[in-house]
Amino acid sequence: MPTALIADDEPNLSAELASRLTRFWPELQIVAMPRDGVDALAQINERRPDFAFLDIRMPGIDGLKVAQLASEVRVVFVTAYDAHAVEAFEASAVDYLLKPVTDERLLRCIARLQRQGMSATDAGTVVSALQREAAPIRWLTVGIKDTTKLVSIDDVLFFQATDKYTEAVTSEHRHLIRTPLKELLLRLDGERFAQVHRGVIVSYAAIDRIERDLLGRMRIHLIGHDAVLPVSRAYAGLFKQM
């Protein structure tokens, strides 16, 4: 009987993937669902699963490092971002799934696992498809302890980088996510969001007005929110006609 481990720091997402894998591949036994990279590596070494479904961004050790250290297991990365696809296949990943994973895509992954591997041609095709077709983010998963909350991208007014995290700011809340701003920008719809500062991405729809002070510095005022966002010189051209 084939066995698998699912590692994701969002337990609800792990449980949902486990349920779908069980439904589509009844013979597959899920032996562990660790929530950080250190535990994932320990569980892989202890339980020796055939497959490991790994999130890339996890506390402790990221999924790429786990894959490098656990060379005996066949790895499928399950992540919200396509930026690490090339690195993943260099780490001998069998497949790379972008969240949210559709049933059709998961079934193709299962078929690939059952065929015992991916050729170099297959890997190149997947990377090309990810780079060409990766859909813009529609929702964010934010976690508080054991609770996972989905935040619609439509509700986000702006993203702001902090020391270790990125804040996704809505009209009522500030949510912390671990995705760096530069990676987030790759998965946002460029017609709806714009980077206006090294540490700020704003929703066009949230902008009320742009004001320029006596020194020529531009500031964005938002609709229904008291935050005032800086616009650096490098991005001032976005609002040249405004």
Side-chain angles (χ1 to χ4, degrees):
M1 178 179 292
T3 57
L5 169 147
I6 300 172
D8 194 312
D9 62 339
E10 300 288 354
N12 291 356
L13 298 183
S14 292
E16 192 265 346
L17 178 57
S19 175
R20 294 168 69 197
L21 284 170
T22 300
R23 185 168 76 250
F24 295 145
W25 193 358
E27 299 82 9
L28 184 68
Q29 181 183 1
I30 308 300
V31 296
M33 292 195 294
R35 295 176 57 181
D36 62 72
V38 174
D39 191 25
L41 184 59
Q43 294 283 352
I44 289 171
N45 290 334
E46 177 184 349
R47 297 176 181 271
R48 303 290 180 182
D50 299 301
F51 310 104
F53 291 80
L54 305 178
D55 190 9
I56 288 184
R57 293 195 169 276
M58 294 187 291
I61 304 174
D62 67 31
L64 290 169
K65 189 64 175 179
V66 172
Q68 292 169 0
L69 295 174
S71 58
E72 299 300 317
V73 67
R74 297 169 63 203
V75 171
V76 175
F77 288 107
V78 187
T79 179
Y81 301 98
D82 63 332
H84 299 290
V86 174
E87 294 175 82
F89 288 119
E90 287 176 349
S92 300
V94 178
D95 208 342
Y96 192 100
L97 305 179
L98 281 177
K99 299 175 183 177
V101 183
T102 65
D103 286 351
E104 179 184 2
R105 183 66 183 88
L106 185 57
L107 284 166
R108 291 206 308 270
C109 174
I110 291 171
R112 178 169 288 136
L113 297 180
Q114 293 173 338
R115 289 199 308 267
Q116 301 298 310
M118 173 186 281
S119 68
T121 301
D122 288 337
T125 300
V126 171
V127 172
S128 297
L130 287 168
Q131 294 171 336
R132 184 175 61 252
E133 299 175 3
I137 296 171
R138 295 181 180 178
W139 47 265
L140 303 168
T141 56
V142 297
I144 302 175
K145 296 183 178 180
D146 292 332
T147 301
T148 299
K149 182 178 180 180
L150 296 182
V151 177
S152 172
I153 200 69
D154 296 334
D155 294 334
V156 177
L157 305 178
F158 65 94
F159 296 92
Q160 189 164 34
T162 65
D163 289 341
K164 295 182 179 180
Y165 301 96
T166 299
E167 285 187 327
V169 182
T170 66
S171 60
E172 297 181 354
H173 301 287
R174 305 179 80 95
H175 303 285
L176 289 179
I177 57 177
R178 293 198 308 273
T179 306
L181 210 66
K182 63 180 181 180
E183 291 187 16
L184 191 61
L185 189 63
L186 296 174
R187 293 296 310 281
L188 291 172
D189 186 341
E191 295 186 357
R192 300 178 59 192
F193 289 87
Q195 185 167 17
V196 295
H197 185 274
R198 181 178 60 183
V200 178
I201 296 172
V202 67
S203 166
Y204 284 121
I207 297 175
D208 179 37
R209 65 189 186 278
I210 297 99
E211 294 183 350
R212 192 185 299 268
D213 65 17
L214 294 176
L215 298 177
R217 295 173 299 192
M218 299 175 73
R219 296 288 186 270
I220 294 174
H221 294 260
L222 303 175
I223 300 171
H225 198 282
D226 58 5
V228 178
L229 308 177
V231 179
S232 67
R233 292 181 182 274
Y235 302 101
L238 290 170
F239 308 109
K240 189 174 182 180
Q241 303 303 319
M242 293 186 177

